[in-house]
């Protein structure tokens, strides 16, 4: 069987020169790669106690939902601003060229619930930090974070150093 890293397509000089883009679609398009990705992520948090799984739009949905299903936990959607129909809380964060806002239904997390955050990638940590703020604004406690890939050179781990972060693959660069 191939190693998980072998399912990730690396595209040099995208979106700009000097960047190696790590393409998650090549993992998703292969049944063995997808299974290995989910299994690898679950193994890293097997000892973690949590009540709810939360993931951000859209790849957090892809990896978070099967983890929630496999562990008989509810899944909470964290979406881009304006996509959720009920009362929400929001967190705005910085992007390379501007800002973005994430929202969470106000009734999706109860005070004291332990939440596992799932996403495909952590780079600078801005999105993850915004998700943490949303969860904590509702009284939830972040039990841990698991991602498929970590770009260690962008130092996202440092930005969320007070939280447990597990990554199935860690790339040293950007």
């Amino acid at each position: 069987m191939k190693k998980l890293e072998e399912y990730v397509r690396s595209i040099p000089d995208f979106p700009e020169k000097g960047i190696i883009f790590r393409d998650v679609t090549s993992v998703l398009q292969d049944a063995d790669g997808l299974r290995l990705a989910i299994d690898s992520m679950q193994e890293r948090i097997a000892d973690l106690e949590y009540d709810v799984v939360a993931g951000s739009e859209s790849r957090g949905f892809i990896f978070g939902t099967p983890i929630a299903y496999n562990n008989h936990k509810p899944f909470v959607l964290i979406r881009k601003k304006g996509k959720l129909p009920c009362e929400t809380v929001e967190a705005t964060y910085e992007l390379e060229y501007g800002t973005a806002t994430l929202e969470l239904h106000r009734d999706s997390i109860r005070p004291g619930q332990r939440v596992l955050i799932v996403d495909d990638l952590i780079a600078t940590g801005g999105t993850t930090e915004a998700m943490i703020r949303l969860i904590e604004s509702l009284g939830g406690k972040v039990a841990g974070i698991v991602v498929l890939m970590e770009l260690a050179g962008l130092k996202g781990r440092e930005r969320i150093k007070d939280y447990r972060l597990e990554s199935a693959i860690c790339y040293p660069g950007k």
Side-chain angles (χ1 to χ4, degrees):
M1 182 175 224
K2 292 174 18 179
K3 291 170 41 177
L4 183 54
E5 294 88 333
E6 295 177 69
Y7 289 98
V8 178
R9 182 174 31 205
S10 297
I11 303 166
D13 299 323
F14 183 82
E16 57 188 52
K17 191 157 182 62
I19 301 291
I20 300 174
F21 184 81
R22 308 297 181 173
D23 185 15
V24 71
T25 62
S26 55
V27 176
L28 300 173
Q29 291 171 177
D30 188 291
D32 292 332
L34 178 58
R35 179 181 300 271
L36 184 57
I38 299 299
D39 290 349
S40 297
M41 293 169 78
Q42 284 185 148
E43 286 169 12
R44 282 162 177 75
I45 48 102
D47 65 322
L48 194 66
E49 291 188 32
Y50 57 95
D51 306 305
V52 177
V53 177
S56 68
E57 189 170 352
S58 65
R59 291 174 303 266
F61 297 177
I62 294 169
F63 294 105
T65 301
I67 291 172
Y69 176 83
N70 289 341
N71 294 285
H72 196 73
K73 304 291 183 186
F75 183 77
V76 171
L77 305 173
I78 299 175
R79 300 218 50 200
K80 296 173 184 166
K81 186 173 178 69
K83 300 289 186 180
L84 292 171
C86 298
E87 186 179 355
T88 62
V89 293
E90 66 179 47
T92 299
Y93 62 102
E94 297 291 321
L95 297 169
E96 188 175 356
Y97 301 106
T99 62
T101 302
L102 293 176
E103 291 183 325
L104 180 62
H105 275 143
R106 186 172 291 282
D107 64 356
S108 62
I109 295 173
R110 294 185 311 276
Q113 281 188 309
R114 297 165 298 185
V115 182
L116 171 66
I117 295 173
V118 179
D119 211 348
D120 69 321
L121 175 77
I122 185 166
T124 65
T127 304
T128 306
E129 188 178 57
M131 289 189 283
I132 291 168
R133 287 197 326 262
L134 284 171
I135 291 161
E136 291 179 346
S137 75
L138 295 174
K141 299 187 182 320
V142 175
I145 302 148
V146 65
V147 297
L148 178 65
M149 298 182 284
E150 176 181 357
L151 304 181
L154 293 174
K155 304 185 186 309
R157 182 178 290 272
E158 292 173 18
R159 192 167 181 173
I160 58 165
K161 65 182 182 300
D162 295 333
Y163 300 89
R164 176 176 168 182
L165 170 64
E166 299 290 338
S167 54
I169 303 169
C170 184
Y171 294 104
K174 299 177 182 181

